[in-house]
Amino acid sequence: AAAPPAASSSAGRSTYAPASFDVLVDDAGTAVAAALGDGKTLIEVEFPALPGDKDGYAGSSDQYIDNNTQFALAAGRRLAKEGRTVRVLVPDAVELKRSSKVFAAALASLPGVTMGHLREAAPPGGLAGLARMFGGGGDAAAETPKPPPADVYIAVNASTIELPDAEAYFGAVEAGGAAFVFFNMELDTLRADLGLFGFPPKALQHRFLSRITPAFYVRPRDYAQTVPVPPYLINYSGALFREFPGPWQVMLKQDNGEYACVAEDRLRYTLGEAKLEMAGAVGLGDAVKTGTRNSTWWEDDFDVEGSHDWRK
């Protein structure tokens, strides 16, 4: 496959130190708006939804789910202020009923923002998602309800099993020019399940998830490295960072909590590559053991993926 074209040459940040979740959400909304303005229709936002959240993404906790929904509604408000209509999508009707009660007051104060769920546009019987999960298709378009209209759909809190529902939903609104945002969906975590028994096939990454452009991405990581001299154990932290239309950046966490850029590239770093950049920045480059594998299957499948947008 041909190498993907270069990303925008717009400069990234030299440092990043969001003072609050409000700042994170506003920055995410600004990046999404920039991506929409550039014609992107499949977009990713990713940042830690819980205070102190590092490697242990807690997608099953109620606090995590509610925080993500709250942040998605706030991002929807940011986009609605620009005249766009936004629909925030939770996984299913049961979660919609719960979230509609929890966030009833917020929804009442958000003109232009509504809530729905990923299966509201599914054919009757619920078999289409199962067929897609195992690689099938089916022609149920005539029976499929039309999704409520919106300019931007923001999906939140879905699991790997529900990714085919997201694909089908976007397929139902794509022709109308709508955009679809995967908001704090932990896509890298979900990708790891693809191909396992009972989960969607790896082809879902190749044909669909590879088309998603990361507009705002903050993935913190903590590492520790043993050395043969005092202090014997060196801890270091950082983050893989991207803010559209800027480059991908490796950030090293400073003693004051600020993230400082130590490397950047037009294409996405693997987490292994990002770790090596951080280690090099603290003088541990030669000490870090990389093992025999420094990437995942979806990072390696460049030649078979239908799009390289997820890397840009």
Side-chain angles (χ1 to χ4, degrees):
S8 168
S9 60
S10 297
R13 293 180 183 255
S14 59
T15 61
Y16 190 57
S20 66
F21 279 112
D22 288 340
V23 174
L24 272 172
V25 173
D26 190 63
D27 289 343
T30 299
V32 169
L36 292 172
D38 198 47
K40 308 299 183 183
T41 56
L42 276 172
I43 297 168
E44 178 184 10
V45 167
E46 188 67 59
F47 61 81
L50 297 173
D53 190 11
K54 299 286 186 181
D55 297 341
Y57 281 22
S60 62
S61 75
D62 287 343
Q63 184 183 1
Y64 180 91
I65 290 171
D66 287 345
N67 280 11
N68 271 338
T69 305
Q70 179 181 346
F71 297 151
L73 289 170
R77 176 180 59 196
R78 163 72 172 75
L79 296 173
K81 287 181 178 179
E82 299 180 355
R84 297 181 175 93
T85 54
V86 180
R87 190 164 180 82
V88 175
L89 303 173
V90 295
D92 53 38
V94 174
E95 182 57 33
L96 175 61
K97 183 177 181 180
R98 174 186 174 277
S99 295
S100 295
K101 290 181 179 179
V102 172
F103 297 102
L107 282 167
S109 65
L110 295 176
V113 180
T114 59
M115 286 192 73
H117 63 85
L118 287 171
R119 295 174 182 167
E120 64 190 6
L127 297 179
L130 185 62
R132 290 190 302 275
M133 187 172 71
F134 289 100
D139 184 13
E143 303 176 15
T144 304
K146 187 175 182 180
D151 298 318
V152 181
Y153 297 85
I154 301 178
V156 65
N157 294 328
S159 67
T160 311
I161 295 297
E162 288 140 351
L163 287 177
D165 294 321
E167 181 184 23
Y169 202 110
F170 178 66
V173 301
E174 181 179 14
F180 199 94
V181 180
F182 291 78
F183 198 96
N184 279 1
M185 293 260 284
E186 305 175 357
L187 287 182
D188 278 351
T189 302
L190 303 189
R191 285 180 173 107
D193 291 331
L194 296 178
L196 299 178
F197 180 76
F199 290 93
K202 292 181 178 180
L204 183 64
Q205 159 66 14
H206 301 149
R207 71 170 182 263
F208 181 59
L209 299 183
S210 65
R211 297 169 57 193
I212 301 170
T213 297
F216 188 78
Y217 189 98
V218 185
R219 184 74 185 268
R221 307 290 282 181
D222 287 335
Y223 298 108
Q225 178 66 43
T226 57
V227 293
V229 294
Y232 301 112
L233 182 67
I234 297 178
N235 298 300
Y236 59 102
S237 302
L240 181 58
F241 181 83
R242 199 285 169 95
E243 185 177 27
F244 190 91
W248 284 90
Q249 298 179 276
V250 178
M251 299 285 201
L252 186 68
K253 192 172 184 178
Q254 308 299 298
D255 291 341
N256 62 0
E258 182 179 71
Y259 286 99
C261 179
V262 295
E264 64 179 45
D265 197 274
R266 65 188 182 93
L267 294 180
R268 182 184 190 135
Y269 293 86
T270 68
L271 289 179
E273 291 168 343
K275 177 183 178 181
L276 288 175
E277 294 288 356
M278 294 178 207
V282 296
L284 292 172
D286 293 336
V288 173
K289 297 179 180 180
T290 60
T292 58
R293 189 176 182 86
N294 201 34
S295 57
T296 62
W297 64 263
W298 61 89
E299 291 167 330
D300 292 338
D301 284 358
F302 184 93
D303 290 338
V304 296
E305 62 193 24
S307 171
H308 305 309
D309 285 351
W310 79 282
R311 300 177 186 268
K312 300 176 185 176

